[in-house]
Amino acid sequence: MTASSDTGAFPRLALAGVFGGLFCGYLGLAAAIPVLPAHVRDEFGAGDLAVGLAVTSTALTALLTRPIFGGLADRYGHRNVMQFGALAIAAGGLLYFLPLGLAGLIMVRLLLGVGEAALFTAGAVWTVTLAPHHRRGQVIGLYGVAMWGGISLGTALGAAIRHFGITAVWSFCAVAPLIGLVLISIVAPQPHTTPTSGRGLLLRPAVLPGLGLALGAAGYVGLAAFVIHGLQVRGIDSGVVVLSTFSAVYAGTRLFIGHLPDKYGPRRVAAWCGLGEAAGLLIIAWAPNLPVAVLGAVVMGVGFSLLHPSLALMVMNNTDSAKQGAALGAYTSFWDLGLFVWGPVTGAIATGFGYPAVFVVAAGCALAASALAMTIRQAVTTEKAVDS
């Protein structure tokens, strides 16, 4: 355990450096997203398949390497791995300038996925080691706010900077993570323990929470992909308001009631969250007008917001301190897996059964996540605090 965890002090400056490094890294990652589709079509004359591959290929390497970088963070220190992630993202921004062709661009995107995995996973465990034990769930939630904030602002800035030319966007993609590297580097490194052997046991605490996270991802995918068009089919315009409401509630929940997993226990809160997400999705599925759909987004946003930090806290509580990086990396990989699976599955459901069915099926998945959370062993965290 760290000094802050032992004394109960809240290391604001250290967490600000870690959060700021994560935020800047995601600024650089997300700035390319709004310009890549047109760039792939105009520069290479490619079609939709190539566009989709270029945009989503980062998720493939992130999925495969998160557990690896979690283990490296346990072994070599969280700051070192997070610094590597920021450098890899900056290198990807610089490689955008080179005339590498479509295949080369996809390779750059794969590199960026590696950088994202290192940056996020190492930083997630680092924040937990910095936080007081009784506020770890809250800190995990705030860490996610920093990530989503970087994605949201980075996407908006990428679209705005595009008016100054594509090279301006690539420059921003390279510079933003370097600023993040500086912020990460000014935080003092934490002592770390060399992990013991036994990789199978290392990942076991992540499996059930990870499955719960993957099930919960179905609702997010369905909302992001189909809520606007699904409401339009019913004659309800301004579906973007539903998405915006969800995003605002998601962030606000973590900011104002993100302490609930610490206060009431992560298993109980995760079960509540699954029920809340399901309720919100069912409201959206049958919403007769925009206000009711917005209400559904509020209910879903509150539930979905705390699902990840609650499940992540269970992973941390059930994992030896020397193995928490790899375990959290494996757990987070289930989010990437969920996005891979639910993207095509929800599309098939929408095609075969209509848009309301997407939200009904997603609600069933959220209920399954709630039930699954109740089966996960609740560790005695006070004993872990003493032992570690």
Side-chain angles (χ1 to χ4, degrees):
M1 274 289 174
T2 65
S4 62
S5 296
D6 292 336
T7 62
F10 196 79
R12 289 180 175 82
L13 291 178
L15 288 174
V18 178
F19 286 10
L22 181 81
F23 177 80
C24 291
Y26 274 95
L27 280 179
L29 281 168
I33 298 300
V35 305
L36 273 176
H39 178 69
V40 170
R41 290 190 178 96
D42 297 342
E43 185 73 15
F44 308 114
D48 291 338
L49 178 62
V51 169
L53 185 60
V55 172
T56 62
S57 54
T58 54
L60 175 62
T61 44
L63 167 66
L64 296 175
T65 59
R66 285 190 202 276
I68 296 173
F69 284 116
L72 292 174
D74 290 329
R75 185 175 296 274
Y76 299 109
H78 312 112
R79 187 175 76 166
N80 291 335
V81 175
M82 203 174 181
Q83 287 172 323
F84 168 80
L87 281 172
I89 296 171
L94 292 175
L95 289 172
Y96 280 139
F97 284 97
L98 300 182
L100 301 175
L102 179 59
L105 175 64
I106 293 174
M107 293 301 296
V108 171
R109 297 291 293 166
L110 292 172
L111 170 65
L112 288 166
V114 172
E116 189 269 341
L119 181 77
F120 179 89
T121 307
V125 186
W126 195 3
T127 59
V128 174
T129 65
L130 287 167
H133 195 270
H134 66 284
R135 298 183 68 176
R136 296 196 306 173
Q138 181 183 20
V139 167
I140 292 172
L142 294 175
Y143 186 76
V145 172
M147 178 193 74
W148 285 108
I151 293 173
S152 300
L153 183 59
T155 302
L157 288 175
I161 296 171
R162 180 65 181 88
H163 295 293
F164 299 98
I166 195 69
T167 58
V169 179
W170 300 155
S171 298
F172 183 83
C173 291
V175 171
L178 290 178
I179 297 173
L181 175 65
V182 173
L183 295 174
I184 296 164
S185 300
I186 63 177
V187 183
Q190 296 297 114
H192 55 278
T193 305
T194 301
T196 57
S197 60
R199 186 167 296 275
L201 293 175
L202 174 68
L203 302 180
R204 184 177 299 169
V207 173
L208 290 181
L211 287 174
L213 182 65
L215 287 167
Y220 171 77
V221 172
L223 188 77
F226 297 112
V227 69
I228 294 177
H229 190 62
L231 291 177
Q232 285 177 341
V233 169
R234 282 179 255 172
I236 303 172
D237 294 325
S238 302
V240 68
V241 175
V242 178
L243 276 177
S244 300
T245 299
F246 170 81
S247 299
V249 172
Y250 176 92
T253 298
R254 290 195 176 184
L255 288 173
F256 294 106
I257 58 173
H259 63 285
L260 292 185
D262 298 305
K263 183 176 182 180
Y264 295 109
R267 183 170 64 178
R268 180 185 301 175
V269 174
W272 291 348
C273 288
L275 293 174
E277 182 185 357
L281 286 163
L282 291 176
I283 293 172
I284 294 170
W286 292 301
N289 51 51
L290 183 61
V292 174
V294 170
L295 173 64
V298 171
V299 176
M300 180 190 171
V302 172
F304 184 75
S305 178
L306 296 185
L307 182 65
H308 162 65
S310 298
L311 292 171
L313 188 55
M314 282 193 275
V315 174
M316 304 300 284
N317 288 344
N318 289 325
T319 306
D320 182 86
S321 60
K323 302 176 180 180
Q324 288 180 345
L328 192 60
Y331 162 76
T332 310
S333 291
F334 279 90
W335 171 257
D336 301 306
L337 180 63
L339 297 184
F340 268 121
V341 170
W342 292 118
V345 168
T346 54
I349 293 171
T351 301
F353 302 97
Y355 297 112
V358 171
F359 303 108
V360 173
V361 171
C365 292
L367 290 175
S370 177
L372 183 63
M374 294 303 296
T375 70
I376 301 173
R377 179 176 64 90
Q378 184 76 58
V380 181
T381 56
T382 53
E383 293 180 1
K384 280 197 172 290
V386 174
D387 292 341
S388 58

